[in-house]
């Protein structure tokens, strides 16, 4: 029993502390909401620097002003006929009740407070005129004022957090119920419950709509980020592939330079000391450059790549027929033509011509299965031109998301060599790729 009492004494202060903290948090939340509601300078959420959005806003304000003017006439006529108020007072109350519809698009909180104040003024004025014909009088809102106050509440609910809209709804309901309890004119037709039900349904629908819009915006943002990252990754992967191939080519030639520099002194009988030292420095610099390049580009090699395949010679146009037969076996009808005198080309040009042809055929196989493809290699005096053109697909093609990065890679290769590149759709639904690769310093540059 003593342990239970001590346990009870120990938990009651903790429970009181938890309740105290909750009360403090609730008061802080209410204070924040009240500060937001009293911030009369706050405008709607939008990009004010966008001329298009500013134009649409002022068009909406103009349309809301026209609707408010029509409702003001209706409310003024009702008060003049039923309550027999002076024309100036009717016009003032009617404008105060309907003006917030247009004002809510510019100063939302000012519009809401003005609408609530106009409601109180109309309710107290009609209650003080108990001797007039108040039977069936809409109260504490006229029909126009009810529509305007409901519209202002929902517009604010769309523009600001839900807790602000709920606070406005609660204050409106409390004001309406208080007026209904202590200032009801005889025979008035109460519409507090109608406002409460309509605004509650509207808030629920707006909450669902806002969640849907927010989810779509996030989805579009995520899709754009994904597309951007996919493009960047494609460019980086292609650059990494080009860097690996460049590493292989340069490493081969640097190795040849190092070997020939080491063997050169032995080809001359009694070479001068200066000549031997010069060849030694050449060899050491070549080996140092080769080591630095391998260290720098070593991280670009894929971990999944077979280490033994690193030293396999890069493909060239000698493998051109083999490439065509491989693609023909996959279902493409290929007609190949070689124009000009076929000869040896610089290694980097020959490799790029082969890769561009390979990628263009892969795209044709992916996007136009069963089509006819025409491949033309034209050997010119100062350049080699690769032209791959395919017709429309033989049947329906299933879309493949993430494809299309091969064009980026081909463009990168041509740009690296200073050539020209063109890839475009044909009028019959096909596609063609044309790349002109300059030979630059001649045919004997990298033999």
């Amino acid at each position: 029993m003593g342990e239970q009492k001590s346990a009870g004494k120990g938990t009651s202060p903790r429970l009181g502390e938890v309740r105290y903290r909750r009360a403090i948090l609730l008061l802080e939340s209410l204070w924040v909401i009240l500060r937001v509601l009293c911030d009369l300078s706050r405008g709607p959420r939008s990009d004010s620097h966008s001329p298009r959005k500013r134009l649409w806003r002022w068009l909406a304000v103009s349309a809301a002003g026209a609707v408010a003017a029509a409702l003001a006439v209706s409310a003024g006529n009702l008060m003049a006929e039923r309550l027999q108020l002076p024309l100036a007072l009717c016009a003032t109350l009617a404008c105060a009740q309907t003006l917030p519809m247009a004002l809510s698009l510019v100063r939302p909180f000012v519009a809401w407070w003005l609408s609530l104040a106009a409601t109180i003024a109309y309710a107290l004025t009609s209650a003080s005129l108990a001797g007039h014909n108040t039977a069936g009088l809409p109260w504490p809102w006229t029909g126009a004022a009810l529509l305007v106050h409901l519209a202002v509440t929902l517009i604010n609910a769309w523009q600001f957090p839900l807790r602000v809209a709920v606070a406005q709804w609660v204050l409106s309901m409390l004001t309406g119920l208080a007026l209904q309890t202590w200032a009801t004119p005889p025979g008035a037709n109460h519409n507090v419950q109608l406002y409460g039900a309509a605004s509650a349904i509207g808030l629920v629908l707006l909450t669902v709509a806002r969640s849907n819009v927010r989810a779509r915006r996030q989805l579009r943002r995520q899709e754009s980020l994904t597309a951007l990252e996919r493009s960047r990754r494609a460019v980086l992967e292609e650059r990494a592939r080009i860097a690996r191939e460049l590493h292989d080519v340069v490493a081969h030639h640097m190795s040849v330079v190092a070997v020939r520099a080491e063997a050169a002194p032995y080809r001359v009988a009694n070479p001068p000391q200066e000549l031997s030292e010069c060849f030694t420095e050449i060899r050491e610099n070549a080996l140092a450059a080769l080591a630095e390049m391998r260290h720098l580009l070593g991280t670009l090699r894929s971990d999944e790549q077979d280490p033994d395949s690193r030293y396999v010679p890069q493909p060239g146009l000698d493998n051109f027929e083999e490439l065509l037969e491989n693609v023909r076996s996959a279902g493409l009808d290929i007609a190949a033509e070689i124009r000009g005198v076929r000869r040896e080309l610089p290694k980097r040009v020959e490799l790029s011509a082969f890769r561009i042809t390979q990628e263009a055929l892969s795209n044709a196989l992916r996007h136009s299965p069963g089509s006819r493809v025409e491949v033309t290699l034209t050997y010119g005096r100062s350049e080699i031109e690769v032209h791959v053109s395919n017709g429309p697909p033989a049947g329906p093609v299933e879309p493949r998301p993430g494809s299309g990065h091969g064009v980026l890679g081909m463009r990168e290769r041509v740009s690296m060599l200073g050539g020209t590149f063109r890839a475009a759709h044909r009028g019959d639904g096909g596609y063609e790729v044309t790349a002109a690769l300059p030979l630059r310093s001649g045919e004997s540059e990298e033999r």
Side-chain angles (χ1 to χ4, degrees):
M1 292 295 292
E3 294 179 356
Q4 293 179 356
K5 289 181 180 181
S6 61
K9 291 180 181 179
T11 56
S12 57
R14 294 180 181 176
L15 182 59
E17 183 179 357
V18 170
R19 291 178 178 176
Y20 174 75
R21 290 181 178 178
R22 290 179 179 176
I24 293 297
L25 290 176
L26 178 60
L27 290 177
E28 289 179 352
S29 301
L30 293 177
W31 173 246
V32 171
I33 294 175
L34 183 61
R35 287 180 58 187
V36 172
L37 290 177
C38 294
D39 186 6
L40 303 183
S41 63
R42 175 172 295 192
R45 297 182 303 173
S46 68
D47 185 8
S48 59
H49 300 289
S50 174
R52 183 178 179 181
K53 289 188 176 181
R54 283 185 293 181
L55 175 61
W56 279 110
R57 170 170 299 167
W58 285 113
L59 289 177
V61 171
S62 301
V67 174
L71 293 176
V73 173
S74 174
N77 291 334
L78 174 67
M79 288 183 285
E81 292 176 2
R82 299 293 300 274
L83 300 179
Q84 300 179 2
L85 295 174
L87 184 60
L89 182 57
C90 291
T92 302
L93 287 177
C95 291
Q97 287 179 347
T98 58
L99 178 63
M101 175 171 286
L103 191 60
S104 63
L105 299 176
V106 182
R107 287 291 181 266
F109 294 140
V110 173
W112 185 81
W113 284 112
L114 178 60
S115 178
L116 188 64
T119 301
I120 298 174
Y122 165 75
L124 295 179
T125 301
S126 59
S128 64
L129 301 174
H132 294 78
N133 185 17
T134 57
L137 182 70
W139 194 90
W141 291 281
T142 62
L146 179 65
L147 291 177
V148 170
H149 197 69
L150 178 61
V152 171
T153 302
L154 296 182
I155 289 174
N156 289 1
W158 179 261
Q159 298 179 12
F160 298 101
L162 181 61
R163 62 178 181 271
V164 176
V166 171
Q168 291 181 342
W169 181 82
V170 171
L171 289 176
S172 299
M173 289 298 298
L174 291 178
T175 302
L177 293 175
L179 292 173
Q180 180 176 328
T181 303
W182 291 296
T184 303
N189 187 12
H190 302 101
N191 49 22
V192 177
Q193 289 77 13
L194 176 62
Y195 166 79
S199 57
I201 294 174
L203 289 176
V204 172
L205 295 179
L206 277 179
T207 302
V208 175
R210 285 183 60 179
S211 300
N212 190 17
V213 170
R214 189 182 299 111
R216 290 185 178 181
R217 287 177 180 174
Q218 292 178 353
L219 180 60
R220 286 196 298 267
R221 189 181 300 111
Q222 188 64 35
E223 288 178 350
S224 62
L225 290 176
T226 302
L228 180 61
E229 291 298 328
R230 188 183 295 122
S231 300
R232 288 178 177 176
R233 186 171 63 249
V235 172
L236 291 177
E237 289 176 355
E238 187 61 27
R239 287 180 176 177
R241 190 191 313 172
I242 295 174
R244 288 194 296 267
E245 294 173 355
L246 183 63
H247 169 268
D248 294 338
V249 174
V250 176
H252 167 72
H253 291 287
M254 294 297 290
S255 300
V256 172
V257 170
V259 171
R260 295 182 72 101
E262 183 179 9
Y266 299 100
R267 295 178 177 269
V268 180
N270 301 319
Q273 183 66 24
E274 293 82 1
L275 181 63
S276 299
E277 292 177 355
C278 182
F279 278 116
T280 302
E281 291 180 1
I282 293 175
R283 177 178 178 275
E284 290 178 352
N285 288 330
L287 293 177
L290 185 61
E292 290 180 3
M293 184 181 60
R294 285 175 176 171
H295 177 72
L296 180 63
L297 302 180
T299 56
L300 296 176
R301 298 188 181 275
S302 174
D303 295 335
E304 299 178 359
Q305 184 181 5
D306 185 5
D308 296 334
S309 65
R310 294 185 180 182
Y311 306 103
V312 176
Q314 293 291 339
L317 294 181
D318 294 338
N319 308 103
F320 184 69
E321 296 297 334
E322 180 182 350
L323 172 63
L324 296 182
E325 291 299 327
N326 187 24
V327 180
R328 284 193 183 102
S329 63
L332 285 183
D333 181 14
I334 301 178
E337 180 182 3
I338 299 178
R339 300 175 182 176
V341 180
R342 188 168 183 173
R343 60 191 185 276
E344 187 177 358
L345 302 176
K347 297 297 183 182
R348 64 179 185 278
V349 176
E350 188 171 352
L351 176 61
S352 296
F354 180 86
R355 293 300 190 194
I356 291 172
T357 306
Q358 184 182 43
E359 185 62 37
L361 292 175
S362 299
N363 288 341
L365 185 62
R366 183 184 303 112
H367 300 291
S368 298
S371 64
R372 176 175 176 80
V373 183
E374 297 178 356
V375 181
T376 305
L377 290 181
T378 303
Y379 287 84
R381 294 184 59 184
S382 59
E383 66 178 15
I384 180 172
E385 182 179 281
V386 179
H387 180 78
V388 180
S389 177
N390 63 269
V397 181
E398 181 180 357
R400 300 184 181 184
S403 60
H405 301 313
V407 176
L408 292 176
M410 290 187 286
R411 195 180 302 277
E412 286 278 332
R413 287 183 179 274
V414 176
S415 176
M416 182 184 66
L417 295 176
T420 58
F421 178 79
R422 180 179 178 273
H425 290 277
R426 300 194 327 188
D428 59 353
Y431 200 79
E432 61 180 0
V433 174
T434 303
L437 307 177
L439 305 182
R440 291 191 179 273
S441 58
E443 301 174 356
S444 62
E445 178 182 357
E446 293 184 4
R447 292 183 181 177

